[in-house]
């Protein structure tokens, strides 16, 4: 049975030592969350995760969700754990106080979201989808709808869902067929079938508020004909009481690879009453307002699964004895050495830590920028810069973090040897669960294409140039730092590879867009690799400063060791990506599709 | 529901065009299997796979095996399919005619083994373990035991298993505790518990012949105290009749990530009667006689799962419509283009084909060398050279093919988008099933260490040097081939990276063995990448020759296109591996284990 402990010390390092959210720079955005407060919150939430939520992960997977008589039952213990989440006031942590929330920064919510997903990803999604639907309603809906629905959703008495995908269209939402027909009272009748609806139905809330993308008459075909509707499972009267069924039914629960504890449903809307959210024809645009935050949320899942898989692999490697270290036995008197003594196993664990801690820092950075936009009193220029950076890095956060998160779950499973394949250790579940994050909320191929075709050209390339200048400026500012010399040098080489690849794309992507499409996945990984190199160099610098007064601090020492490890073992991969990117699409286009 | 069609045309290309098994070079080793014969055999077997065995793959996974009243039931249809395999005479194809086999070359068996594993990996293992146990008995056991057990095993009336792993030891078999106590009649009483026993019990055969590694008294500790025993599930009298139970029981069926159609059992031996196979104290050595062939078998599973995953991803990409190609719509008049028109999807399919076809060629090459050793009338020198090459490349076949096979199953699943996560499409099963191949028969970390620490230093490095000289010689011989110029150049660069990494290992692995251990996995992939580059160049050369007289042949044209694709998109990865390898273990050893 796997275990989990929230990595609070590292979260605090990211927020306070690295990002310095308590500095004047951020005004009073983070005034309510000083180090002691975050520490106390993190500790209490972490305890709930370790004691209540994580122990339901394996059993939830084995039991799964069941559909009987039209309603879905969640695995044993989920209802009680959800009640505990509500009772602790955790569901409204980052929500608007006007609707019963506590109004804390999103940065706090994302920190805890990592813990929740590590503890039990399938369980976390019932809350995650609710906060997503909450955000969409909060941003786009009328005050009347907000007053009626948000307080219940903030309290998770009612939960939320997102209904986009249909059987014939996932990526290409312009093909959506679900219809919305306007009634005389301004409401709509919604009819259609949606698939892959996470938390589509369950027994943990009294009502479920579906956000549904549907097509109204009189609008153009394609995405411009789509509008967004709020469709409750059970109708709600003007006083907020639940009345009768709204003809929303579960067609089936999808049989899927993982996240079995979450009910992924086929949802049927059969003339269900819906309320327009935002303007007609702007459904997709309104959905996309939340897209960056939703994708950040999925990126966090990649980190979260990698973290819990790592923790369990480390424990196993510190316990399991097989063979003897190549440089001679380390555990004297034992029949065999613990496998952590084998340099290859140790390296795998270090690679995972490198990934997890850089991911946590990147998530923190993007979260802080999001709070700057939401809560900052700064001028528009600073907010625009923050938004540009978020736009640029969101495909990395979603695509790179979930690709690598899955890879790490596979490596962590491998450390268990044959035992990793056996369900009881829970390692194979991390692989199955983490796999979905590469697919939903826009597949990682879509993330890569988004980066290449929208984010790089944005503002005539100024956004990505500003990012490269940040990295370049950091390198120049620190090139005389003797202790970190090899880190800075490796970062410089990797940044040159990124710059080179970018130059190629700008020139050859215009000549033939297939050169860009073919390069997309490699470019996303190249940029992720360099981004992590930059983050590790910054973390090493912070650790170096801290060690001046605290020379024996193992936590800070490990940061420098890992930064050097990353610089030597992972940053060199940048060059390989560049070479592949620059080999273009001609060798692909040489193959007619009928010959594949 | 996934489908499968045996890639017979490519198998024929490998055996006859590339490896030329019908040339004088091989004497009469392959005399019984000319192109027409192989074609007819492959077609008939392929039909059995498509029509009978593959359709049981998804249902077998969903139903799994069940243990009741001490016996294991296999999924519906398995018994009938196994009977069809027996009725067709397929089980004895490569077995010794002295025991009822047909004595065909192993090359033929391995070709069909790929098909069987593609069609249904879990099902294939009941036969695969039997032929493995057959080989061990055939090589090591007394004539009496062989006469008694082999004919039934060749006919698969009785099946076989391999019992090595115990709860506390998988890799480190020196820790085995199962005991064998000698009886006065020369038989032994075997007592102990074995885990992860594939096909450990089932309802498709009347008896099961377990090969068990156990410890006898009076021998040293560690692996030198281990002997190999034949332990039938049901005792067999001198006339070959089944008599009474031999106290072999199933403790449980392991709950595992995949291959649910195969019963992976905890086996208890409780004073079960066993018969010594080979000499006392040579149990592990006798097991290792078969190790190369067993590992080749697992490598074939990597290829097989990648092939069937590819076939289904290709079909889906040729059918599914999402978005429009970057260079303008390709499927005129349709709402969207088929996703195969997107250069990134097409590239993923091409990468999979590159892997599958090079793997098939490598498996063919090693199979032919195995037949040269088994059946060749050549002098010892040629056989020794063949053995050296097999020893060197076996870790690549097992480790690289299964790592990449799993990666490809993941990519194929990704092409399905969210649908890839849903069980009914079968793509997620390929991911789960292929995962085991990286773990059993020696984890891929063990393969990498075997390559680094045993295979490279073998014969003072002459074996690997001979291999590099082959590649170098090929490059020199073909450097003036204008049409293949970029392929040869890319191969040369990659071969230089391999040479450079090897030089580093020879020098720095001696200084500190951790430099070699840390590099092991990357080196295995570097060598695999170059090996495939060499194979692709050779295949391109063959195709080029064929196209002289057959200029419109799409099959041969696609070989040249894929060779160029591989040279541009995959061979450049070699350099990145070299850099990582040469960064050594110091950055790993800088981290104390308690700080990880």
């Amino acid at each position: 049975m796997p275990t989990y402990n929230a990595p609070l010390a590292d979260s605090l390092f990211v927020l306070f030592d690295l990002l310095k959210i308590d500095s004047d720079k951020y005004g009073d955005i983070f005034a309510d969350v000083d180090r002691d407060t975050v520490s106390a919150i993190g500790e209490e939430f972490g305890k709930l995760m370790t004691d209540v939520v994580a122990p339901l992960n394996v059993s939830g997977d084995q039991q799964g969700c069941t559909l009987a008589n039209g309603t879905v039952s969640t695995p044993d213990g989920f209802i009680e754990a959800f009640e505990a989440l509500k009772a602790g006031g955790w569901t409204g942590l980052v929500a608007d106080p006007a609707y019963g929330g506590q109004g804390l920064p999103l940065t706090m919510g994302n920190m805890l979201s990592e813990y929740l997903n590590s503890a039990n990803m399938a369980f976390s999604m019932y809350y995650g989808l609710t906060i997503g639907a909450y955000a969409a309603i909060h941003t786009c809906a009328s005050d009347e709808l907000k007053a009626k629905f948000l307080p219940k959703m903030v309290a998770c008495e009612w939960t939320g869902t997102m209904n986009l995908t249909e059987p014939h269209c996932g990526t290409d939402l312009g093909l959506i067929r679900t219809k919305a027909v306007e009634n005389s009272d301004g409401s709509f009748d919604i009819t259609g079938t949606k698939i892959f609806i996470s938390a589509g139905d369950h027994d943990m809330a009294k009502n479920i508020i579906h956000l549904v993308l549907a097509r109204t008459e009189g609008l153009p075909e394609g995405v411009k004909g789509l509008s967004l509707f709020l469709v409750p499972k059970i109708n709600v009267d003007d006083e907020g009481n639940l009345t009768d069924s709204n003809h929303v039914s579960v067609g089936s629960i999808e049989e899927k690879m993982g996240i079995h504890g979450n009910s992924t449903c086929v949802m049927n809307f059969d003339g269900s009453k819906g309320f327009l959210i935002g303007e007609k024809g702007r459904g997709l645009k309104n959905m996309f307002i939340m897209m960056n935050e939703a994708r950040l949320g999925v990126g966090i899942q990649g980190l979260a699964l990698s973290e819990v898989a790592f923790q369990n692999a480390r424990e196993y490697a510190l316990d399991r004895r097989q063979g003897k270290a190549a440089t001679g036995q380390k555990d004297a008197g034992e029949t065999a050495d613990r496998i952590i003594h084998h340099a290859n196993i140790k390296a795998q664990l270090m690679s995972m830590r490198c990934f997890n801690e850089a991911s946590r820092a990147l998530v923190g950075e993007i979260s802080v920028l999001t709070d700057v936009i939401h809560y900052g009193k700064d001028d528009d220029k600073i907010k625009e810069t923050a938004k540009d950076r978020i736009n640029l890095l969101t495909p990395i956060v979603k695509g790179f973090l979930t690709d690598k998160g899955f890879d790490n779950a596979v490596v962590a499973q491998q450390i268990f040897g044959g035992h990793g394949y056996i369900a009881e250790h829970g390692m194979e579940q991390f692989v199955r669960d983490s796999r979905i994050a590469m697919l939903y909320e826009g597949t990682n191929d879509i993330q890569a294409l988004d980066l290449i075709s929208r984010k790089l050209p944005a503002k005539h390339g100024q956004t990505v140039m500003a990012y490269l200048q940040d990295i370049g400026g950091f390198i120049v500012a620190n090139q005389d730092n003797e202790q970190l010399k090899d880190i800075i040098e490796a970062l410089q080489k990797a940044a040159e590879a990124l710059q080179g690849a970018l130059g190629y794309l700008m020139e050859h992507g215009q000549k033939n867009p297939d050169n860009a499409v073919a390069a997309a996945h490699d470019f996303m990984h190249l940029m992720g690799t360099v981004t992590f190199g930059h983050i590790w160099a910054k973390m090493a610098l912070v650790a170096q400063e801290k060690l001046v007064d605290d020379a024996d601090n193992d936590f800070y020492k490990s940061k420098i060791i890992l930064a050097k490890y990353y610089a030597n073992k992972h940053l060199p991969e940048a060059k390989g990506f560049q070479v592949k990117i620059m080999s273009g699409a001609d060798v692909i286009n040489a193959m007619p599709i009928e010959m594949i």
Side-chain angles (χ1 to χ4, degrees), chain A:
Chain A
M1 177 90 120
T3 57
Y4 173 67
N5 290 292
L8 180 56
D10 202 51
S11 298
L12 294 170
F13 171 79
V14 165
L15 299 182
F16 294 95
D17 296 342
L18 180 68
L19 300 174
K20 300 182 173 58
I21 62 169
D22 51 356
S23 64
D24 293 342
K25 182 178 169 191
Y26 293 110
D28 61 358
I29 299 175
F30 300 105
D32 293 341
V33 285
D34 62 14
R35 190 186 277 258
D36 286 346
T37 308
V38 176
S39 183
I41 290 175
E43 204 159 314
E44 195 183 333
F45 192 76
K47 197 168 144 44
L48 183 66
M49 297 302 104
T50 301
D51 296 344
V52 177
V53 179
L56 300 174
N57 195 44
V58 170
S59 59
D61 176 67
Q62 287 170 348
Q63 202 179 343
C65 294
T66 46
L67 173 66
N69 304 321
T71 59
V72 171
S73 300
T74 53
D76 293 344
F78 272 40
I79 291 178
E80 293 78 6
F82 205 62
E83 288 302 318
L85 211 61
K86 291 195 253 180
W90 298 110
T91 63
L93 200 76
V94 298
D96 187 346
Y99 302 103
Q102 295 164 57
L104 289 188
L106 288 171
T107 301
M108 276 306 299
N110 288 336
M111 173 182 127
L112 300 190
S113 173
E114 181 203 324
Y115 303 171
L116 186 59
N117 275 286
S118 285
N120 194 326
M121 179 169 159
F123 175 79
S124 79
M125 293 169 66
Y126 295 99
Y127 164 72
L129 270 297
T130 306
I131 199 77
Y134 156 87
I137 297 168
H138 189 263
T139 308
C140 305
S142 67
D143 287 343
E144 193 188 339
L145 286 174
K146 292 204 287 195
K148 190 166 177 178
F149 290 97
L150 290 187
K152 298 282 191 187
M153 293 178 75
V154 167
C156 272
E157 283 185 49
W158 302 349
T159 62
T161 74
M162 298 285 198
N163 290 252
L164 287 76
T165 306
E166 298 184 5
H168 57 288
C169 63
T171 294
D172 197 347
L173 292 168
L175 306 176
I176 278 177
R177 293 176 191 149
T178 294
K179 287 253 180 290
V181 178
E182 193 157 5
N183 299 315
S184 53
D185 65 355
S187 70
F188 290 77
D189 282 351
I190 312 288
T191 302
T193 296
K194 297 285 184 176
I195 62 169
F196 304 163
I197 308 309
S198 299
D201 194 60
H202 58 85
D203 52 7
M204 301 198 295
K206 297 190 186 77
N207 202 3
I208 298 175
I209 310 306
H210 301 284
L211 292 193
V212 182
L213 218 46
R215 193 172 292 288
T216 54
E217 281 187 357
L219 289 181
E221 292 196 351
V223 296
K224 288 178 182 166
L226 297 175
S227 306
L228 187 59
F229 298 91
L230 184 160
V231 186
K233 174 183 174 182
I234 300 170
N235 286 313
V236 181
D237 69 16
D238 289 344
E239 283 73 47
N241 301 309
L242 299 182
T243 58
D244 54 343
S245 162
N246 193 20
H247 312 294
V248 178
S249 61
V250 182
S252 62
I253 300 181
E254 309 271 14
E255 294 282 341
K256 55 197 192 299
M257 186 183 198
I259 50 167
H260 292 147
N262 196 274
S263 55
T264 309
C265 297
V266 175
M267 298 301 303
N268 295 319
F269 299 91
D270 186 16
S272 308
K273 183 169 276 200
F275 306 95
L276 185 67
I277 300 279
E279 286 173 46
K280 243 191 248 184
R282 293 185 58 90
L284 200 65
K285 285 201 173 178
N286 287 338
M287 272 291 193
F288 267 85
I289 293 173
M290 266 62 61
M291 197 50 87
N292 280 340
E293 287 174 37
R295 289 181 172 174
L296 174 59
V298 177
I300 289 171
Q301 295 186 319
L303 157 61
L305 274 280
S306 177
E307 171 67 30
V308 68
F310 161 75
Q311 287 189 12
N312 285 279
R314 177 181 54 193
E315 287 312 302
Y316 192 78
L318 281 165
D319 181 60
R320 176 81 171 173
R321 296 184 182 281
Q322 297 284 283
K324 282 163 191 160
T327 52
Q329 183 154 8
K330 303 288 180 214
D331 293 334
E334 299 287 347
T335 50
D337 276 335
R338 287 168 293 163
I339 61 173
I340 201 168
H341 285 301
H342 302 306
N344 54 341
I345 300 291
K346 197 168 154 190
Q348 289 166 14
L349 292 168
M350 289 173 75
S351 287
M352 281 190 264
R353 260 194 72 180
C354 279
F355 166 82
N356 294 344
E357 294 172 23
S359 295
R360 190 169 293 119
L362 180 59
V363 166
E365 193 178 326
I366 301 295
S367 300
V368 166
L369 292 175
T370 306
D371 280 323
V372 165
I373 295 170
H374 277 268
Y375 300 115
K377 295 190 177 59
D378 290 317
D379 57 40
D380 289 349
K381 180 91 185 77
I382 286 176
K383 290 196 182 188
E384 196 182 330
T385 306
K387 202 164 188 175
D388 288 346
R389 183 60 55 90
I390 291 171
N391 282 338
L392 178 68
L393 293 182
T394 292
I396 306 289
V397 171
K398 199 284 181 180
F400 186 63
L401 265 60
T402 62
D403 273 358
K404 300 297 277 185
F406 173 74
D407 289 348
N408 284 340
V410 172
V411 170
Q413 179 189 24
Q414 189 74 15
I415 289 176
F416 276 66
H419 296 276
Y421 203 68
I422 305 300
E424 66 177 289
H425 296 286
M427 302 305 288
E428 58 92 31
Q429 185 188 346
F430 297 138
V431 174
R432 289 185 289 105
D433 286 357
S434 63
R435 183 68 182 86
I436 187 61
M438 298 160 70
L439 291 164
Y440 60 19
E441 211 59 46
T443 67
N444 286 0
D445 303 276
I446 292 299
Q447 304 304 319
L449 292 175
D450 178 50
L451 176 63
I452 292 280
S453 61
R454 293 198 196 96
K455 303 307 169 61
L456 296 186
K459 300 194 173 175
H460 306 288
Q462 283 175 33
T463 309
V464 65
M465 283 308 168
Y467 184 63
L468 290 178
Q469 279 160 18
D470 270 10
I471 298 174
F474 177 88
I475 292 169
V476 170
N478 294 286
Q479 60 195 358
D480 297 330
N481 188 326
E482 272 306 311
Q483 199 193 346
L484 308 184
K485 200 166 184 286
D486 49 344
I487 298 171
I488 302 295
E489 281 176 6
L491 177 59
Q492 177 152 19
K493 276 190 200 167
E496 283 165 8
L498 178 59
Q499 186 93 46
L502 188 65
Y504 169 86
L505 284 184
M506 285 179 169
E507 187 184 342
H508 295 270
Q510 294 217 327
K511 282 187 195 160
N512 181 351
D514 276 349
N515 286 324
V517 172
H521 187 261
D522 285 326
F523 190 86
M524 181 172 79
H525 277 258
L526 167 55
M527 194 162 147
T529 301
V530 175
T531 296
F532 276 21
H534 185 204
I535 288 171
W536 268 112
K538 288 190 284 187
M539 295 202 290
L541 198 62
V542 168
Q544 187 185 33
E545 286 161 8
K546 294 282 178 186
L547 284 164
V548 172
D549 296 325
D550 190 8
D552 292 331
N553 188 312
D554 281 350
F555 181 88
Y556 295 124
K557 282 197 283 187
S558 79
K559 289 287 182 192
I560 292 180
I561 293 168
L562 286 175
K564 284 180 190 285
Y565 175 87
Y566 186 85
N568 277 279
K569 296 294 183 188
H570 292 290
L571 272 178
E573 292 165 8
K575 186 71 193 168
F577 288 124
Q578 184 198 1
V579 173
K580 282 172 76 176
I581 290 164
M582 292 175 63
S583 66
D586 289 351
V587 291
I588 300 165
N589 288 335
M591 180 73 91
I593 64 162
E594 58 276 11
M595 270 168 61
I596 289 180

